[in-house]
Amino acid sequence: MSRLLMIIFILLSKSVAAAPDPNFHIYLMFGQSNMEGAAPIEAQDRVINERVMVMANLDCTNLDRTYGNWYVASPPLNRCWSGLGPGDYFGKTMADNMPSTVTIGLVPGAISGTAIELYQKSAPIGRNGQDIPPQFNGGYAWLLDMAKKAQEAGVIKGIIFHQGESDTSDPLWKHQVHEIVTDLRQDLGIGDVPFLAGELLYADYQSCCHWHNTEINLLPGLINNAYVVSAMGLPGLDAAHFTSESYRELGFRYATLMREKIDISSSSSSSISSSSSISSSTSSSSSTSNPSSSSNPNSSSASSETNNSSSSGGGGGSIHSSPLITLLLIVFLFRSGRRNAKYKSCE
């Protein structure tokens, strides 16, 4: 009997899924070139904060990054050869203004020049010739896969977005964005986490697409817990893109607004989406060293069911039973009952 109990204990121990770290705060970042990063990366931008991590969204041999793995954030965050974008200083500002126990995880999914349809769940334009991993039929599936991987390690706290140059003044655009955000929140079980949309380059800087800011500013009226990040006073590198200094300030503005809107009081009460177990290796290069926090997100492994969602985002662990464990418990209880009956009959 003691041997049976030991087997049951071992199986139950193995069935406990690794719990995502409630202090690993995840942010999704998607859009087109201004979110991907289009300005020169300067020496000051290479200063890292080891409490800011980025998930590789492609296999990038030049950066020693492998798709789906976490690395200490250093530009380019998006893809392999991009420039500086708002995500860099968004992550740094968030980390600098959070307790030292909190690590920031950035999940970038931006593609230069893409129309909003790339991110629709129905994939109406498919891959559209874009360089995304071949297993995905469009940008939505790609972003969703990375987000689910991120949920194995931490809690999704918000989404930042910058797109619209390819859809300037299209009245359908805001409804498409609404659809994408709704699908992401539902498919990830993250409730109404904050969604921040950035304005495009203003007309003061000979912008190609400033008219679209009217559409961007209509998003909060369509999407719950959505807000607009102003681009006022931020000069451009060209007719569509910001300068390096403007990206630094834009990232700071995203972070300032996000800090006001996120729920930092209930990191541990959250949900996690269903996903397969994953175990990723960590790069040994200096630019991709492990964070100094107590847990390494690349070593987390989860196999979980969807729990109740909350506005604080995705996270949390669970215990899963199997038919084998159930059968062993039944056998144990049956044999215990027979033994008790035997003892009573001898009294």
Side-chain angles (χ1 to χ4, degrees):
M1 183 58 66
S2 59
R3 184 177 181 184
L4 179 60
L5 285 172
M6 181 60 70
I7 292 172
I8 293 173
F9 175 77
I10 292 171
L11 290 173
L12 283 172
S13 298
K14 289 184 176 181
S15 70
V16 178
D21 184 356
N23 287 321
F24 188 33
H25 292 186
I26 309 296
Y27 294 92
L28 309 184
M29 314 188 306
F30 74 104
Q32 55 184 108
S33 55
N34 274 313
M35 183 58 77
E36 180 176 333
I41 300 168
E42 300 173 0
Q44 62 183 300
D45 307 318
R46 297 293 187 187
V47 177
I48 64 170
N49 182 329
E50 292 196 347
R51 289 173 43 237
V52 183
M53 308 291 290
V54 64
M55 178 178 285
N57 59 18
L58 289 174
D59 291 332
C60 296
T61 55
N62 63 309
L63 300 174
D64 291 326
R65 294 178 185 171
T66 301
Y67 175 78
N69 282 11
W70 290 104
Y71 301 87
V72 174
S74 178
L77 302 185
N78 276 274
R79 309 170 73 70
C80 305
W81 302 98
S82 302
L84 188 71
D88 295 270
Y89 283 83
F90 167 78
K92 291 175 182 177
T93 304
M94 291 298 294
D96 288 343
N97 289 277
M98 288 289 175
S100 60
T101 54
V102 171
T103 297
I104 304 299
L106 305 176
V107 179
I111 298 179
S112 178
T114 190
I116 195 63
E117 287 88 352
L118 184 74
Y119 295 103
Q120 287 183 277
K121 185 176 181 177
S122 60
I125 60 173
R127 297 168 56 85
N128 199 33
Q130 300 292 347
D131 180 21
I132 59 178
Q135 65 266 37
F136 304 115
N137 66 348
Y140 184 88
W142 175 49
L143 182 59
L144 185 68
D145 182 71
M146 290 188 289
K148 287 186 174 182
K149 283 177 166 56
Q151 283 184 312
E152 296 174 2
V155 182
I156 296 176
K157 305 295 286 186
I159 304 170
I160 67 173
F161 171 76
H162 202 288
Q163 195 273 341
E165 292 88 352
S166 294
D167 300 272
T168 298
S169 298
D170 183 349
L172 295 178
W173 175 87
K174 56 185 173 291
H175 300 290
Q176 293 167 312
V177 175
H178 180 205
E179 173 192 309
I180 293 164
V181 174
T182 299
D183 285 339
L184 280 172
R185 286 171 169 174
Q186 290 179 349
D187 289 346
L188 294 169
I190 55 177
D192 286 346
V193 295
F195 173 77
L196 309 188
E199 287 185 322
L200 310 187
L201 198 64
Y202 273 36
D204 306 4
Y205 306 103
Q206 292 74 52
S207 167
C208 64
C209 315
H210 60 273
W211 297 279
H212 197 65
N213 284 333
T214 301
E215 296 296 318
I216 293 172
N217 279 280
L218 293 175
L219 291 175
L222 293 173
I223 303 171
N224 291 336
N225 209 18
Y227 308 91
V228 173
V229 177
S230 172
M232 181 180 292
L234 301 182
L237 183 67
D238 52 40
H241 306 103
F242 296 94
T243 63
S244 299
E245 185 56 39
S246 292
Y247 280 127
R248 296 181 194 115
E249 173 61 22
L250 190 60
F252 174 81
R253 293 181 186 183
Y254 271 106
T256 300
L257 185 56
M258 184 65 78
R259 284 170 48 221
E260 295 174 3
K261 305 304 178 184
I262 59 171
D263 177 9
I264 62 172
S265 64
S266 58
S267 296
S268 61
S269 60
S270 50
S271 63
I272 183 167
S273 71
S274 176
S275 53
S276 348
S277 295
I278 179 170
S279 180
S280 305
S281 61
T282 307
S283 170
S284 59
S285 68
S286 60
S287 64
T288 59
S289 60
N290 290 333
S292 57
S293 58
S294 59
S295 62
N296 170 20
N298 278 342
S299 66
S300 69
S301 177
S303 177
S304 52
E305 304 289 340
T306 302
N307 295 325
N308 293 330
S309 65
S310 75
S311 62
S312 63
S318 58
I319 297 177
H320 304 285
S321 61
S322 70
L324 176 59
I325 294 174
T326 303
L327 178 61
L328 288 171
L329 288 172
I330 291 172
V331 171
F332 170 70
L333 292 173
F334 176 74
R335 293 185 64 177
S336 296
R338 289 189 62 184
R339 177 174 291 184
N340 290 337
K342 180 179 178 181
Y343 289 156
K344 286 182 179 179
S345 67
C346 295
E347 292 177 353

